[in-house]
Amino acid sequence: MLVRHDPRTQLTANLCRIILISLAAAVGGVVLFAIVVSARVGPPWADDITLLLIAIVLTSMMNMSLALLNMLLAVCGLPWAYGTTILIAFFVLVEWMLLPLDGNIQRYVCFFWYPISFDWNIILVQQLLPFIGYCIVMILTIVTVFEHRDRLEI
């Protein structure tokens, strides 16, 4: 029995999966890092816990920003594997090419990749709020492209 369903449910499910996978990857990576460092150096101090939490937040923001950009490419018709390859190559090359330049050009291009500060107030205002704005713009763009793209295949 075939049942018709709204294709927007797939879009919503993919957005939820992006958030969960980005957070899980960030937490897993930082926990693994903390285990390796504590085995070599010793147990973390209270200041180290704050640094690990900041690393989780920044890593999940980086993961989600790339995943949303990749989802936009996928909605436009580019397969996930190609989009991922293009994005990884782009950011590796951009970081390498912009390294000799003075100033914060690297930070602006790869905005969510670098910590601005280790102070939660500065991270909230200068990085987390712009990231939320970025997510809103990207989700609205993805939804707009999704609704205006024909998804029929031969």
Side-chain angles (χ1 to χ4, degrees), residues 115-152:
I116 292 175
S117 171
F118 295 112
D119 180 17
W120 280 106
N121 292 327
I122 294 173
I123 289 173
L124 176 68
V125 172
Q126 293 184 8
Q127 220 163 2
L128 197 58
L129 291 178
F131 171 73
I132 292 169
Y134 168 82
C135 288
I136 290 169
V137 168
M138 285 301 291
I139 290 170
L140 290 175
T141 305
I142 289 168
V143 168
T144 302
V145 170
F146 185 82
E147 289 178 351
H148 289 90
R149 178 141 170 93
D150 188 14
R151 287 168 295 284
L152 298 177

Side-chain angles (χ1 to χ4, degrees), residues 98-111:
L98 297 177
L99 191 60
L101 297 177
D102 291 335
N104 289 328
I105 187 94
Q106 238 180 334
R107 184 185 302 259
Y108 294 135
V109 172
C110 306
F111 185 71

Side-chain angles (χ1 to χ4, degrees), residues 65-85:
S65 65
L66 284 178
L68 286 172
L69 190 56
N70 199 4
M71 188 172 182
L72 178 62
L73 294 174
V75 168
C76 289
L78 189 66
W80 274 94
Y82 296 148
T84 303
T85 306

Side-chain angles (χ1 to χ4, degrees), residues 13-38:
N14 286 342
L15 289 172
C16 291
R17 287 181 189 122
I18 283 174
I19 293 169
L20 290 175
I21 291 171
S22 296
L23 288 172
V27 168
V30 171
V31 166
L32 181 63
F33 173 77
I35 290 171
V36 170
V37 169
S38 65

